[in-house]
């Protein structure tokens, strides 16, 4: 991982690999999950190819042999627990072999995804240190080189954004927001959507015809409830601004990343001392930046950063959403 990322940086800036203080780049711009999700994906991929799928193949082969061996052994069928037209034991075994082979095919075609985009998936720290590198391309190239499918987006659920006040919900006259607390407007449409999807997924295991129709109905209700909930959402710009204005400590990430680029010793430790357990504001962040031994251009770029502008490639990723859809 390290040689790959540093190699791209070196080529972009015509620098030799040896010119870097390598230790500071072992975790360059990574969040722990960048490493974890790839490691887990590789472990799962190896487990599937080396253990799970071969075991399924052995089982399918064994059942198939039974189907052939007992192809002419007659057996009474039963429907609704009562005697029905005879079959053969071999044919019944063939049913299990075919069903399991279909599940095996679905499992083998499952795409195991990986991401490598930093803490919130926007390449924020990456771009702050090396703005001229196409980081999404670098990340995709690296993830796919491991044999995983690149995941360009990371997510949270709408419920959490409503809870934080980033979205307001358009109210309707006469609508009950909460059964006991008049001040609340619960995200009932999203709750309904989640509940119906849970019900639909649970019914997928049933082979009963009524359950199949019920599954489709619950799925449809879930989709329509989600759409209805989205139509009620309204951006709370004041709340978004309030959160950003009060969290200047988030700039510790780009500052220590730029310090790392220019060989400033112990960047993480210096920022930890500045920010951990202390009140951080615009003034304290700017004073820290001014005192750094950095090239004038790098220092100027850091001084221009605010929590509002430190968004990495988020806008570009949002605008490219159609390219990531599977419709």
């Amino acid at each position: 991982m390290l040689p790959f990322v540093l190699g791209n940086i070196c080529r972009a800036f015509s620098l030799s690999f040896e010119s870097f203080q390598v230790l500071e780049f072992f975790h360059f711009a990574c969040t722990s999950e960048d490493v974890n999700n790839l490691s887990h994906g590789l472990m799962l991929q190896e487990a599937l190819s080396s253990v799970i799928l071969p075991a399924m193949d052995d089982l399918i082969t064994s059942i198939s042999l039974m189907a052939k061996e007992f192809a002419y052994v007659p057996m009474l069928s039963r429907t609704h627990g009562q005697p029905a037209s005879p079959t053969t034991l071999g044919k019944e075994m063939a049913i299990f072999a075919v069903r399991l082979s279909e599940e095996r095919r679905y499992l083998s075609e499952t795409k195991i995804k990986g991401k490598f985009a930093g803490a919130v998936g926007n390449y924020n720290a990456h771009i702050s240190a090396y703005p001229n590198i196409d980081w999404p391309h670098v990340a995709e190239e690296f993830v796919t080189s491991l044999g995983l499918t690149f995941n360009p987006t990371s997510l949270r659920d709408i419920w959490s954004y409503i809870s934080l006040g980033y979205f307001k919900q358009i109210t309707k006259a006469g609508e009950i927001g909460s059964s006991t607390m008049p001040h609340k407007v619960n995200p009932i449409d999203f709750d309904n959507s989640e509940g119906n999807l849970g019900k639909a997924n649970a019914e997928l295991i049933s082979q009963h015809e009524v359950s199949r129709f019920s599954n489709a109905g619950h799925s449809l209700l879930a989709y329509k409830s989600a759409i209805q909930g989205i139509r009620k959402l309204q951006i709370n710009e004041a709340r978004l601004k309030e959160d950003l204005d009060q969290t200047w400590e988030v700039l510790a990430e780009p500052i220590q990343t730029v310090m790392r680029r220019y060989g400033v010793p112990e960047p993480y430790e210096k920022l930890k001392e500045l920010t951990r357990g202390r009140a951080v504001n615009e003034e304290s962040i700017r004073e820290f930046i001014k005192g750094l031994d950095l090239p004038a251009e790098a220092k100027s770029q850091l001084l221009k950063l605010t929590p509002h502008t430190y968004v990495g490639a988020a806008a570009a990723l949002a605008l490219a959403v159609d390219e990531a859809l599977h419709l």
Side-chain angles (χ1 to χ4, degrees):
M1 180 188 308
L2 176 65
F4 180 88
V5 175
L6 290 185
N8 278 280
I9 296 172
C10 291
R11 286 192 293 274
F13 289 90
S14 300
L15 299 173
S16 67
F17 183 85
E18 290 74 19
S19 67
F20 282 92
Q21 295 179 334
V22 175
L23 181 62
E24 288 295 345
F25 279 84
F26 264 94
H27 208 264
F28 174 77
C30 286
T31 187
S32 297
E33 185 57 22
D34 283 333
V35 178
N36 291 343
N37 88 100
L38 298 179
S39 301
H40 295 160
L42 290 171
M43 287 189 288
L44 180 57
Q45 188 166 262
E46 179 68 17
L48 284 174
S49 62
S50 301
V51 181
I52 303 299
L53 293 179
M56 293 182 74
D57 290 339
D58 289 344
L59 180 56
I60 293 167
T61 299
S62 297
I63 299 173
S64 298
L65 291 173
M66 291 177 65
K68 297 170 186 175
E69 181 179 358
F70 304 131
Y72 297 101
V73 177
M75 170 184 136
L76 184 65
S77 291
R78 279 180 165 77
T79 60
H80 303 282
Q82 301 177 47
S85 303
T87 182
T88 70
L89 183 57
K91 182 262 181 177
E92 300 304 305
M93 294 300 103
I95 292 173
F96 295 120
V98 171
R99 284 181 180 175
L100 187 56
S101 70
E102 290 176 350
E103 297 302 320
R104 192 261 187 222
R105 178 170 60 84
Y106 295 148
L107 188 58
S108 69
E109 293 174 353
T110 299
K111 295 179 180 179
I112 301 177
K113 295 185 176 182
K115 70 102 176 176
F116 197 63
V120 296
N122 297 333
Y123 309 95
N124 303 56
H126 311 63
I127 292 172
S128 67
Y130 296 98
N132 296 323
I133 292 180
D134 184 354
W135 286 108
H137 175 72
V138 170
E140 182 175 8
E141 192 177 55
F142 174 57
V143 171
T144 55
S145 75
L146 300 175
L148 301 175
T149 299
F150 180 60
N151 181 8
T153 56
S154 307
L155 57 85
R156 290 172 66 178
D157 60 49
I158 287 290
W159 183 94
S160 67
Y161 295 128
I162 294 173
S163 174
L164 290 168
Y166 294 166
F167 279 115
K168 293 185 291 186
Q169 297 180 94
I170 300 172
T171 57
K172 290 184 178 180
E175 185 178 61
I176 302 298
S178 168
S179 60
T180 60
M181 291 170 278
H183 69 282
K184 289 184 64 183
V185 181
N186 291 332
I188 56 174
D189 296 298
F190 296 109
D191 289 343
N192 287 338
S193 178
E194 183 179 5
N196 276 292
L197 284 175
K199 179 73 172 172
N201 289 338
E203 289 176 347
L204 281 174
I205 63 174
S206 173
Q207 295 299 312
H208 198 281
E209 197 67 31
V210 174
S211 292
R212 292 195 184 108
F213 284 114
S214 179
N215 168 265
H218 283 298
S219 296
L220 181 60
L221 283 173
Y223 305 146
K224 289 187 175 293
S225 293
I227 293 171
Q228 187 170 318
I230 289 170
R231 287 171 178 164
K232 292 181 180 179
L233 295 179
Q234 187 177 57
I235 295 177
N236 188 349
E237 293 186 9
R239 180 68 182 90
L240 291 167
K241 183 178 184 301
E242 178 188 9
D243 249 10
L244 290 166
D245 287 343
Q246 294 178 357
T247 52
W248 281 80
E249 62 269 21
V250 299
L251 296 187
E253 182 184 46
I255 294 170
Q256 61 99 9
T257 306
V258 172
M259 290 168 66
R260 183 169 285 118
R261 172 184 174 179
Y262 290 104
V264 178
E266 300 183 328
Y268 182 87
E269 289 73 14
K270 286 183 171 65
L271 267 300
K272 183 172 70 172
E273 182 180 351
L274 174 69
T275 60
R276 189 167 295 184
R278 299 183 182 186
V280 179
N281 55 32
E282 179 179 1
E283 181 182 358
S284 62
I285 284 289
R286 297 201 185 284
E287 284 301 314
F288 181 84
I289 294 171
K290 290 175 182 178
L292 293 173
D293 182 17
L294 292 172
E297 178 62 22
K299 187 177 294 188
S300 174
Q301 291 301 316
L302 284 178
L303 287 170
K304 291 177 183 177
L305 273 182
T306 73
H308 293 263
T309 61
Y310 180 54
V311 295
L317 291 169
L319 293 173
V321 63
D322 289 344
E323 300 172 15
L325 297 179
H326 303 284
L327 296 177

